[in-house]
C-alpha cells in the first residue's frame, strides 16, 4: 500500500501564488509517476499535472504556463507551484501516485487540500 499526503492549500488573492507539496510513502516501488487532480463544486474532476519519475511533465491547458510540477529531491517531496492564480482555480486539489503519462493512471490518492482564490 502507498500513502499519499498533500499539504499547502489555503486562501490567496487573484494573481497570487501557492505551493502545494505531496509526499508518497509505503510500497512505492510500483509507482512511476505522480499526478495532481482538482475538483471544484459541481464540476468534474480534472487531471491538471503529471510528472513521471523520468522527469517528463505535462499539464492541462487550463493551467499550462502557470503551474509547475517538480520534485524536491532534498525533501523527497513533489511540488506543485501555482502562479497567477485565478478564481476559477478554486477547487480541492488531490495528489495521486500512479503510473503512465499519457494516459496517466492514478492508483493511490491523498485526501486533498483546499485552494481558494478570491477575486
Amino acid at each position: 500500500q502507498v500513502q499519499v499526503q498533500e499539504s499547502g492549500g489555503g486562501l490567496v488573492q487573484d494573481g497570487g501564488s501557492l505551493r502545494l507539496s505531496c509526499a508518497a510513502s509505503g510500497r512505492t516501488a510500483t509507482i512511476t509517476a505522480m499526478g495532481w487532480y482538482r475538483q471544484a463544486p459541481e464540476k468534474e474532476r480534472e487531471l491538471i499535472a503529471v510528472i513521471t519519475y523520468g522527469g517528463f511533465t505535462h499539464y492541462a491547458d487550463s493551467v499550462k504556463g502557470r503551474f509547475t510540477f517538480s520534485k524536491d529531491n532534498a525533501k523527497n517531496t513533489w511540488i506543485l507551484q501555482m502562479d497567477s492564480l485565478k478564481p476559477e482555480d478554486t477547487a480541492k486539489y488531490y495528489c495521486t501516485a500512479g503510473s503512465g503519462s499519457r494516459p496517466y493512471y492514478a492508483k493511490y490518492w491523498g485526501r486533498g487540500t483546499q485552494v481558494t482564490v478570491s477575486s
Side-chain angles (χ1 to χ4, degrees), residues 77-91:
T77 58
W78 306 87
I79 305 298
L80 184 68
Q81 179 65 40
M82 306 187 294
D83 298 318
S84 302
L85 283 162
K86 307 173 183 179
E88 51 262 45
D89 293 317
T90 295

Side-chain angles (χ1 to χ4, degrees), residues 66 90 108:
R66 300 187 298 122
T90 295
Y108 303 98

Side-chain angles (χ1 to χ4, degrees), residues 26-66:
R27 302 182 69 175
T28 59
T30 60
I31 302 304
T32 60
M34 304 289 290
W36 282 96
Y37 287 80
R38 68 183 182 186
Q39 187 164 23
E42 300 182 358
K43 290 190 177 180
E44 292 190 0
R45 187 171 58 199
E46 178 186 20
L47 175 63
I48 59 168
V50 173
I51 187 168
T52 68
Y53 277 24
F56 175 77
T57 56
H58 65 85
Y59 303 90
D61 288 344
S62 57
V63 306
K64 196 175 295 182
R66 300 187 298 122

